[in-house]
Short mmCIF file of all heavy atoms in Angstrom, two decimals:
data_model
loop_
_atom_site.label_atom_id
_atom_site.label_comp_id
_atom_site.label_asym_id
_atom_site.label_seq_id
_atom_site.Cartn_x
_atom_site.Cartn_y
_atom_site.Cartn_z
N PRO D 58 -28.00 -19.50 2.96
CA PRO D 58 -27.73 -20.96 3.11
C PRO D 58 -26.95 -21.19 4.45
O PRO D 58 -26.97 -22.34 4.98
CB PRO D 58 -26.68 -21.28 1.88
CG PRO D 58 -27.15 -20.15 0.83
CD PRO D 58 -27.52 -18.87 1.73
N VAL D 62 -27.51 -23.96 7.28
CA VAL D 62 -26.61 -25.01 7.79
C VAL D 62 -26.44 -24.92 9.34
O VAL D 62 -26.37 -25.93 9.99
CB VAL D 62 -25.31 -24.99 7.00
CG1 VAL D 62 -24.29 -24.00 7.61
CG2 VAL D 62 -24.63 -26.36 7.02
N SER D 70 -26.95 -31.73 16.27
CA SER D 70 -26.30 -31.86 17.60
C SER D 70 -27.13 -31.67 18.71
O SER D 70 -26.94 -32.34 19.80
CB SER D 70 -25.19 -30.69 17.59
OG SER D 70 -24.40 -30.83 16.60
N PHE D 157 -23.81 -54.12 12.11
CA PHE D 157 -22.84 -54.64 11.18
C PHE D 157 -23.26 -55.93 10.44
O PHE D 157 -23.00 -56.07 9.24
CB PHE D 157 -21.54 -54.95 11.84
CG PHE D 157 -20.34 -55.38 11.08
CD1 PHE D 157 -19.81 -54.51 10.12
CD2 PHE D 157 -19.75 -56.63 11.19
CE1 PHE D 157 -18.78 -54.80 9.35
CE2 PHE D 157 -18.71 -56.99 10.43
CZ PHE D 157 -18.19 -56.14 9.48
N SER D 162 -23.44 -56.08 5.96
CA SER D 162 -22.54 -55.24 6.53
C SER D 162 -22.29 -53.86 5.73
O SER D 162 -21.34 -53.19 5.93
CB SER D 162 -21.05 -55.91 6.67
OG SER D 162 -21.18 -57.08 7.19
N ARG D 166 -28.06 -47.33 2.36
CA ARG D 166 -27.68 -46.33 1.28
C ARG D 166 -29.05 -46.01 0.61
O ARG D 166 -29.76 -46.75 0.14
CB ARG D 166 -26.85 -46.96 0.28
CG ARG D 166 -25.42 -46.93 0.46
CD ARG D 166 -24.59 -47.61 -0.64
NE ARG D 166 -23.21 -47.71 -0.32
CZ ARG D 166 -22.31 -46.83 -0.52
NH1 ARG D 166 -22.70 -45.76 -1.17
NH2 ARG D 166 -21.02 -46.93 -0.11
N PHE D 171 -34.62 -38.97 -2.76
CA PHE D 171 -34.94 -37.50 -2.21
C PHE D 171 -36.37 -37.39 -1.63
O PHE D 171 -36.61 -36.53 -0.86
CB PHE D 171 -34.73 -36.54 -3.41
CG PHE D 171 -33.30 -36.70 -3.94
CD1 PHE D 171 -33.13 -36.97 -5.30
CD2 PHE D 171 -32.21 -36.45 -3.17
CE1 PHE D 171 -31.85 -37.17 -5.84
CE2 PHE D 171 -30.93 -36.52 -3.72
CZ PHE D 171 -30.76 -36.88 -5.02
N GLN D 178 -33.58 -30.81 5.20
CA GLN D 178 -33.96 -29.54 4.54
C GLN D 178 -34.72 -28.56 5.50
O GLN D 178 -35.56 -29.07 6.29
CB GLN D 178 -34.85 -29.84 3.40
CG GLN D 178 -34.10 -30.67 2.29
CD GLN D 178 -35.06 -31.29 1.33
OE1 GLN D 178 -36.36 -31.10 1.32
NE2 GLN D 178 -34.57 -32.13 0.42
N SER D 247 -30.58 -38.19 6.23
CA SER D 247 -31.09 -37.13 5.13
C SER D 247 -30.03 -36.30 4.63
O SER D 247 -30.09 -35.77 3.43
CB SER D 247 -32.17 -36.26 5.85
OG SER D 247 -33.31 -37.11 6.27
N GLN D 248 -29.04 -36.01 5.42
CA GLN D 248 -27.96 -35.03 5.04
C GLN D 248 -26.98 -35.73 4.02
O GLN D 248 -26.56 -35.08 2.99
CB GLN D 248 -27.17 -34.53 6.24
CG GLN D 248 -26.26 -33.47 5.92
CD GLN D 248 -25.67 -32.65 7.14
OE1 GLN D 248 -26.05 -33.06 8.32
NE2 GLN D 248 -25.00 -31.62 6.95
N PRO D 254 -22.05 -49.01 8.92
CA PRO D 254 -21.93 -49.49 10.33
C PRO D 254 -20.59 -49.24 10.93
O PRO D 254 -19.58 -49.11 10.05
CB PRO D 254 -22.20 -51.08 10.06
CG PRO D 254 -21.75 -51.32 8.67
CD PRO D 254 -22.08 -50.16 7.88
N THR D 256 -17.72 -50.45 13.99
CA THR D 256 -17.42 -51.40 15.02
C THR D 256 -16.22 -50.99 15.92
O THR D 256 -15.71 -49.99 15.64
CB THR D 256 -16.95 -52.83 14.35
OG1 THR D 256 -16.02 -52.57 13.52
CG2 THR D 256 -18.16 -53.58 13.60
N SER D 298 -18.90 -23.09 14.90
CA SER D 298 -18.46 -23.78 13.91
C SER D 298 -18.42 -23.07 12.57
O SER D 298 -17.57 -22.96 11.84
CB SER D 298 -19.23 -25.22 13.71
OG SER D 298 -18.98 -25.95 14.87
N VAL D 302 -15.43 -21.45 10.36
CA VAL D 302 -15.18 -21.83 8.94
C VAL D 302 -15.22 -20.51 8.10
O VAL D 302 -14.29 -20.42 7.20
CB VAL D 302 -16.42 -22.79 8.46
CG1 VAL D 302 -16.45 -22.84 6.95
CG2 VAL D 302 -16.23 -24.14 9.04
N SER D 308 -8.77 -26.73 10.06
CA SER D 308 -9.49 -27.79 10.86
C SER D 308 -8.72 -28.11 12.14
O SER D 308 -9.41 -28.23 13.25
CB SER D 308 -9.54 -29.05 10.12
OG SER D 308 -10.04 -28.85 8.83
N THR H 135 -13.22 -53.08 10.69
CA THR H 135 -13.80 -54.25 10.26
C THR H 135 -14.99 -53.97 9.42
O THR H 135 -15.50 -54.88 8.72
CB THR H 135 -14.33 -55.07 11.42
OG1 THR H 135 -15.12 -54.24 12.31
CG2 THR H 135 -13.17 -55.66 12.26
N SER H 136 -15.56 -52.74 9.47
CA SER H 136 -16.66 -52.43 8.61
C SER H 136 -16.34 -51.72 7.29
O SER H 136 -17.25 -51.38 6.53
CB SER H 136 -17.68 -51.54 9.39
OG SER H 136 -17.06 -50.32 9.77
N GLU H 138 -15.49 -50.94 3.54
CA GLU H 138 -16.01 -51.62 2.42
C GLU H 138 -14.98 -52.49 1.76
O GLU H 138 -15.24 -53.58 1.17
CB GLU H 138 -16.53 -50.66 1.28
CG GLU H 138 -17.90 -50.17 1.60
CD GLU H 138 -18.36 -49.32 0.40
OE1 GLU H 138 -18.91 -49.87 -0.55
OE2 GLU H 138 -18.25 -48.03 0.50
N LEU H 141 -14.60 -55.71 3.60
CA LEU H 141 -15.67 -56.63 3.32
C LEU H 141 -15.60 -57.35 2.04
O LEU H 141 -15.77 -58.47 1.74
CB LEU H 141 -17.09 -55.89 3.27
CG LEU H 141 -17.44 -55.23 4.67
CD1 LEU H 141 -18.71 -54.40 4.50
CD2 LEU H 141 -17.67 -56.26 5.76
N PRO H 295 -12.00 -29.16 4.00
CA PRO H 295 -11.16 -30.09 4.82
C PRO H 295 -12.03 -31.05 5.66
O PRO H 295 -13.26 -30.79 5.81
CB PRO H 295 -10.32 -29.28 5.72
CG PRO H 295 -11.20 -28.08 5.93
CD PRO H 295 -12.07 -27.92 4.69
N GLY H 299 -19.87 -35.56 9.14
CA GLY H 299 -20.35 -35.91 10.47
C GLY H 299 -19.96 -34.80 11.49
O GLY H 299 -20.35 -34.93 12.64
N GLU H 301 -19.84 -30.57 12.27
CA GLU H 301 -20.53 -29.32 12.04
C GLU H 301 -19.60 -28.49 10.97
O GLU H 301 -20.15 -27.96 10.14
CB GLU H 301 -20.75 -28.55 13.19
CG GLU H 301 -21.68 -29.13 14.12
CD GLU H 301 -22.18 -28.30 15.21
OE1 GLU H 301 -21.59 -27.31 15.51
OE2 GLU H 301 -23.23 -28.71 15.92
N HIS H 306 -18.63 -26.06 5.66
CA HIS H 306 -17.79 -25.98 4.46
C HIS H 306 -18.44 -26.41 3.16
O HIS H 306 -18.38 -25.79 2.13
CB HIS H 306 -16.49 -26.80 4.64
CG HIS H 306 -15.42 -26.18 5.45
ND1 HIS H 306 -14.88 -24.89 5.12
CD2 HIS H 306 -14.80 -26.45 6.56
CE1 HIS H 306 -13.85 -24.62 5.91
NE2 HIS H 306 -13.82 -25.48 6.85
N THR H 308 -21.66 -26.46 2.63
CA THR H 308 -22.62 -25.57 2.23
C THR H 308 -22.03 -24.37 1.50
O THR H 308 -22.54 -23.89 0.51
CB THR H 308 -23.42 -25.13 3.43
OG1 THR H 308 -24.06 -26.28 4.00
CG2 THR H 308 -24.60 -24.15 2.99
N GLN H 312 -22.10 -23.02 -2.58
CA GLN H 312 -22.56 -21.64 -2.95
C GLN H 312 -21.75 -21.05 -4.10
O GLN H 312 -22.02 -19.95 -4.58
CB GLN H 312 -22.67 -20.73 -1.76
CG GLN H 312 -23.75 -21.08 -0.83
CD GLN H 312 -23.58 -20.25 0.53
OE1 GLN H 312 -23.59 -19.04 0.36
NE2 GLN H 312 -23.46 -20.96 1.60
N MET H 325 -19.29 -39.62 -2.13
CA MET H 325 -20.71 -39.94 -2.05
C MET H 325 -21.54 -39.12 -1.12
O MET H 325 -22.72 -38.89 -1.26
CB MET H 325 -20.86 -41.44 -1.61
CG MET H 325 -20.35 -42.44 -2.58
SD MET H 325 -21.07 -42.46 -4.08
CE MET H 325 -22.25 -43.83 -3.83
N GLN H 329 -26.32 -35.89 -1.75
CA GLN H 329 -27.59 -35.33 -1.05
C GLN H 329 -27.60 -33.79 -0.92
O GLN H 329 -28.46 -33.15 -1.28
CB GLN H 329 -27.73 -36.05 0.28
CG GLN H 329 -29.10 -36.01 0.91
CD GLN H 329 -30.15 -36.66 0.06
OE1 GLN H 329 -29.89 -37.64 -0.75
NE2 GLN H 329 -31.45 -36.19 0.00
N PRO H 330 -26.36 -33.24 -0.28
CA PRO H 330 -26.34 -31.90 -0.28
C PRO H 330 -26.34 -31.11 -1.60
O PRO H 330 -26.93 -30.05 -1.76
CB PRO H 330 -24.91 -31.55 0.47
CG PRO H 330 -24.73 -32.85 1.17
CD PRO H 330 -25.29 -33.87 0.43
N GLN H 332 -28.03 -32.20 -4.14
CA GLN H 332 -29.52 -32.10 -4.48
C GLN H 332 -30.26 -31.09 -3.75
O GLN H 332 -31.06 -30.24 -4.33
CB GLN H 332 -30.05 -33.56 -4.16
CG GLN H 332 -31.58 -33.66 -4.37
CD GLN H 332 -32.10 -33.54 -5.81
OE1 GLN H 332 -31.26 -33.72 -6.72
NE2 GLN H 332 -33.29 -33.33 -6.01
N ASN H 333 -29.93 -30.91 -2.38
CA ASN H 333 -30.68 -29.99 -1.65
C ASN H 333 -30.28 -28.62 -2.10
O ASN H 333 -31.03 -27.60 -1.90
CB ASN H 333 -30.16 -30.10 -0.20
CG ASN H 333 -30.73 -31.47 0.49
OD1 ASN H 333 -31.63 -32.02 -0.09
ND2 ASN H 333 -30.14 -31.91 1.52
#
Side-chain angles (χ1 to χ4, degrees):
Chain D
V62 84
S70 298
F157 186 61
S162 308
R166 274 178 189 270
F171 304 118
Q178 293 162 8
S247 294
Q248 190 167 5
T256 54
S298 292
V302 164
S308 310
Chain H
T135 52
S136 59
E138 278 188 84
L141 299 174
E301 294 190 345
H306 277 299
T308 305
Q312 289 172 55
M325 296 296 264
Q329 198 65 31
Q332 174 69 16
N333 292 342

